[in-house]
Amino acid sequence: MAAMVAGALRRGSGYGGGGFRWSSHLLAQSLRRFASTLVVAEHEGGFVKPSSLSALAAAEAIAKENKISVLLGGSGPSLHKAADHAASSHPLVSEVLIADSEALAHPLAEPWAELLHSVQQKGGYSHVIASSTSFGKNMLPRAAALLDVSPVTDVTAIKEPRVFVRPIYAGNALCTVKYTGEDPCMMSIRSTSFSPTAEAMSETKVAPITQVDLSFLSEGTTGKSTWVSLTSQDTERPDLANARVVVTGGRGLKSAENFKLLEQLAEKLGAAVGATRAAVDAGYVPNDLQVGQTGKIVAPELYMAFAVSGAIQHLAGMRDSKVIVAVNKDADAPIFQVADYGIVADIFEVLDELLKKIPDKK
């Protein structure tokens, strides 16, 4: 591929003043033609997570002729069920790789980075993509270090196979960057910026599933960190990162007891509950509900913010919401600058009225 690209550059240099532009065009075409992408996917309950389906959409944005391989790790029946889901999840998926091992059953960076390093050494992919989830942010930099490349993080748009857009300054500016390093071009993508494909899959178009050779795994690989436990709340509310409606509270709610009012509203709306960092730091709610630059990035159809001042770190996590409703007693709160609808009032009075007038969800 390198020789062909170099040849394209030499041929382009003879076109007078437009030679450089022609060379760049040929280079972009060559990169698209030889694109092969590995998507490191997450799964739960036998299905590929929506954030990883968004990573497949990002892989399609690199090139329509892109050959996409999906890497899944874990153990047990749920892994194989998720592999079946991945095999039929996107028309461009050409192969599903599964690594069946207890060492990969939990999202520990060390064994996963070794796995990705081994798979890349054998597959020679031009691109490696993961979602900007806690798992992706933890694993990707370590794997990039093993492969001696620099990852591009939090990509929100793909202009060319190696030209990307990513937010900077807490989302207040967008930066266009060009990756000029060696293969693979490794990146994490913001899942809210890439919509999973809605194209119907043919029943006969199912990608082959292949077992990954795990002989490289050793005790030294898996012994640097240990999985302790997973603590989660049993709730019927949707996952915060993928909810269509999100109800968020800030420090102005004053206590964990008052946050239950938001939970009641969320139950009526079928919404997820979010919180600002200030509310999390105050101990009102657990940190897995935090929305913002250091929390979760959300882009629901409706985002309702109660007692949220609108610090730039919080706005970075929700500014892509379709409709934003803000309730705050401070008329000068920055949240009103991005809100589609704003109410300047006591949040408890507004919550009380909403709880009275919104019927229970059936």
Side-chain angles (χ1 to χ4, degrees):
M1 172 183 162
M4 296 185 70
V5 171
L9 288 172
R10 286 195 295 271
R11 288 192 298 273
S13 62
Y15 283 84
F20 176 76
R21 290 192 297 273
W22 183 246
S23 300
S24 300
H25 176 70
L26 287 176
L27 177 59
Q29 280 190 329
S30 298
L31 289 172
R32 287 190 180 95
R33 189 177 303 120
F34 292 99
S36 60
T37 300
L38 178 67
V39 173
V40 185
E42 301 173 64
H43 64 95
E44 184 177 30
F47 294 94
V48 177
K49 287 188 174 182
S51 59
S52 294
L53 295 178
S54 295
L56 290 174
E60 181 181 11
I62 291 173
K64 292 294 183 181
E65 305 82 17
N66 199 353
K67 293 182 178 179
I68 303 175
S69 297
V70 179
L71 176 62
L72 292 167
S75 63
S78 64
L79 170 64
H80 295 274
K81 185 180 177 182
D84 292 334
H85 179 213
S88 59
S89 60
H90 196 286
L92 293 182
V93 173
S94 60
E95 181 184 31
V96 177
L97 305 174
I98 60 171
D100 194 341
S101 170
E102 282 293 333
L104 301 165
H106 304 297
L108 299 177
E110 291 86 359
W112 270 95
E114 291 286 352
L115 170 64
L116 186 50
H117 177 262
S118 176
V119 171
Q120 171 61 28
Q121 293 291 83
K122 293 178 181 178
Y125 300 97
S126 64
H127 295 73
V128 175
I129 300 178
S131 296
S132 290
T133 58
S134 57
F135 168 71
K137 292 176 181 177
N138 189 30
M139 174 273 300
L140 201 68
R142 189 180 188 91
L146 292 176
L147 291 166
D148 196 26
V149 298
S150 297
V152 182
T153 59
D154 213 20
V155 170
T156 58
I158 298 173
K159 290 191 170 183
E160 293 181 11
R162 294 198 172 200
V163 179
F164 314 105
V165 178
R166 61 183 302 272
I168 56 175
Y169 302 127
N172 285 291
L174 295 175
C175 177
T176 299
V177 298
K178 182 176 182 180
Y179 178 76
T180 58
E182 300 292 328
D183 285 346
C185 174
M186 302 184 73
M187 62 176 141
S188 62
I189 61 103
R190 185 175 288 191
S191 58
T192 55
S193 298
F194 297 91
S195 299
T197 182
E199 183 178 342
M201 289 285 293
S202 168
E203 293 183 4
T204 59
K205 185 173 175 52
V206 177
I209 299 173
T210 307
Q211 296 275 352
V212 176
D213 178 14
L214 299 178
S215 58
F216 65 89
L217 284 177
S218 63
E219 289 190 11
T221 302
T222 59
K224 295 175 183 176
S225 60
T226 305
W227 178 262
V228 178
S229 64
L230 171 65
T231 302
S232 61
Q233 293 181 321
D234 292 329
T235 177
E236 294 182 358
R237 289 195 298 270
D239 176 63
L240 176 59
N242 305 304
R244 293 177 61 249
V245 181
V246 173
V247 179
T248 294
R251 184 165 44 191
L253 281 165
K254 300 180 181 179
S255 70
E257 189 67 27
N258 288 336
F259 245 90
K260 292 181 179 179
L261 296 173
L262 281 191
E263 294 175 1
Q264 293 175 31
L265 179 60
E267 293 288 346
K268 287 175 173 284
L269 296 174
V273 174
T276 63
R277 178 168 182 169
V280 170
D281 289 346
Y284 300 163
V285 290
N287 61 6
D288 61 324
L289 298 185
Q290 182 177 327
V291 174
Q293 186 178 18
T294 54
K296 293 183 178 178
I297 308 296
V298 300
E301 294 179 16
L302 173 62
Y303 187 88
M304 302 182 72
F306 292 87
V308 174
S309 64
I312 59 172
Q313 292 84 356
H314 182 76
L315 297 183
M318 47 67 71
R319 65 167 66 246
D320 292 331
S321 303
K322 305 300 183 292
V323 177
I324 300 173
V325 178
V327 182
N328 200 304
K329 66 180 181 180
D330 181 8
D332 296 322
I335 188 68
F336 288 123
Q337 297 176 13
V338 299
D340 298 286
Y341 300 95
I343 302 175
V344 180
D346 182 275
I347 59 168
F348 297 107
E349 293 179 2
V350 175
L351 278 172
D352 185 56
E353 286 294 317
L354 289 173
L355 289 173
K356 287 178 181 177
K357 294 182 178 180
I358 296 178
D360 292 334
K361 184 183 177 183
K362 296 181 180 180

